[in-house]
Amino acid sequence: MKFVIPLFFISSAFALNVVPVDSFSLPPGLEPIAITADGAGRIFILDTDGRLVAVEKKSVIIAELDPMTSAVDWVEPVDIDYSAGWLYIADRAGGAIYLTDRNLREPAKIELPISGQTIRPAEFAVSTDGRILVRDDERAELLLFTNWRDKDPLEIILPKRAISKNIGGIEFDIGRRRFIIISEDKIILCSLLGELEIIPFRVFPEMEDTTSLEILTAFTADSRTFCIDTRGFYSIADARNLCELNPPGSFDEPLLCAVYTLKGRIITVDRNKLTIWEFRE
């Protein structure tokens, strides 16, 4: 899920660049809405129809789960994440999270009731030690589970200045071991214990040229916080200015989803292809 954010940009003063190192066409019939990777060369793609595929070696499908042809009973899968050998799938309408291995075998359904009420996981992320941060679409709040067995999660109350806009995505920040919550006009950092730090984006009203940002993901690398929108890569500087790493419009197609991997690479997907990127000076 992504939101349009009105922002004013300044040019990047950093020498760090993002360069493509590999790309290949997507398997036929996929319309991706979420992507993740296992850090060992396997990439997982979820599409709009609930089809889930594991891809290796260019566009070769290694494993596949398709609700139309298999026994999986999820209703509305909306997000995926990978951690410590397990792939997690969030089913918003079904009120559950599914667990499967990297070969997509026999997904196990994990229901998430609290006090008799069903949780509707709209966005979520899993830490490297198995903690799960979920936005509950039913009650519009954040819940932090110590693991998938936890039946008494920490309910995180966002301060008023953090909930003026809706949440549009949650990522686990591998570089800093924290969660990053993406809002319409800010990034909210959440520690593994549920402590929050809010980073609003700075706006420059004196600049004439404006554009809109649709954040797909955010992460930390080289001691800096980065985000990716549908057209490019940006760095959030110490002054909380948003700096371009590459000019908007440099892609043939708008990006649909993106992920920062355990190997320090970035994977992006547009309508036609998957691309792998690296940071280089």
Side-chain angles (χ1 to χ4, degrees):
M1 188 174 182
K2 51 184 180 291
F3 288 104
V4 177
I5 307 173
L7 291 171
F8 299 77
F9 297 115
I10 63 174
S11 298
S12 173
F14 301 133
L16 200 64
N17 295 309
V18 184
V19 297
V21 295
D22 198 6
S23 68
F24 55 87
S25 299
L26 292 174
L30 279 181
E31 296 182 24
I33 59 172
I35 184 173
T36 191
D38 67 356
R42 187 161 296 189
I43 300 166
F44 307 95
I45 304 171
L46 176 68
D47 85 346
T48 54
D49 294 326
R51 182 184 174 199
L52 179 64
V53 300
V55 179
E56 277 185 358
K57 299 177 181 178
K58 304 301 183 181
S59 59
V60 177
I61 295 178
I62 303 300
E64 179 175 356
L65 286 173
D66 189 339
M68 301 298 293
T69 59
S70 64
V72 294
D73 61 350
W74 51 56
V75 181
E76 186 192 7
V78 292
D79 201 2
I80 56 176
D81 203 1
Y82 187 89
S83 175
W86 295 101
L87 181 67
Y88 296 69
I89 305 102
D91 181 7
R92 176 166 52 193
I97 285 179
Y98 286 78
L99 282 177
T100 183
D101 64 12
R102 64 194 300 271
N103 295 311
L104 310 186
R105 291 179 291 201
E106 299 180 5
K109 183 177 182 180
I110 310 298
E111 295 183 344
L112 303 171
I114 293 182
S115 303
Q117 298 183 23
T118 299
I119 295 174
R120 308 289 184 188
E123 295 91 17
F124 83 114
V126 187
S127 69
T128 50
D129 64 355
R131 298 171 194 260
I132 308 171
L133 184 64
V134 175
R135 185 179 77 83
D136 179 13
D137 204 32
E138 189 75 14
R139 292 177 290 179
E141 67 178 348
L142 294 172
L143 301 168
L144 180 59
F145 295 81
T146 55
N147 55 58
W148 61 266
R149 299 180 182 87
D150 188 2
K151 299 301 182 183
D152 186 25
L154 174 66
E155 298 184 45
I156 300 176
I157 300 175
L158 295 173
K160 289 184 178 180
R161 70 183 188 278
I163 58 176
S164 59
K165 302 292 184 180
N166 292 325
I167 293 171
I170 302 175
E171 305 288 345
F172 181 66
D173 184 7
I174 299 169
R176 296 278 182 88
R177 288 184 53 78
R178 63 190 177 185
F179 294 98
I180 297 182
I181 304 156
I182 301 166
S183 182
E184 284 180 297
D185 59 352
K186 60 182 68 71
I187 281 178
I188 305 167
L189 308 179
C190 179
S191 75
L192 296 180
L193 299 178
E195 300 163 337
L196 301 177
E197 178 187 352
I198 301 169
I199 300 179
F201 292 114
R202 184 176 175 184
V203 176
F204 297 91
E206 70 276 7
M207 297 183 67
E208 296 181 359
D209 187 26
T210 67
T211 187
S212 295
L213 186 73
E214 297 179 51
I215 293 181
L216 301 174
T217 191
F219 57 93
T220 299
D222 193 33
S223 300
R224 305 170 191 163
T225 300
F226 297 89
C227 62
I228 301 174
D229 84 331
T230 58
R231 297 149 305 175
F233 303 85
Y234 305 91
S235 172
I236 302 173
D238 292 337
R240 296 177 181 178
N241 305 329
L242 199 67
C243 305
E244 299 173 9
L245 292 183
N246 63 297
S250 61
F251 298 99
D252 295 334
E253 297 280 349
L255 300 180
L256 300 176
C257 45
V259 66
Y260 183 68
T261 75
L262 289 166
K263 295 292 187 180
R265 287 183 164 187
I266 301 165
I267 301 174
T268 63
V269 172
D270 63 27
R271 186 170 60 90
N272 298 311
K273 69 178 183 298
L274 181 150
T275 304
I276 300 172
W277 309 75
E278 286 183 349
F279 283 111
R280 293 182 183 174
E281 294 184 356

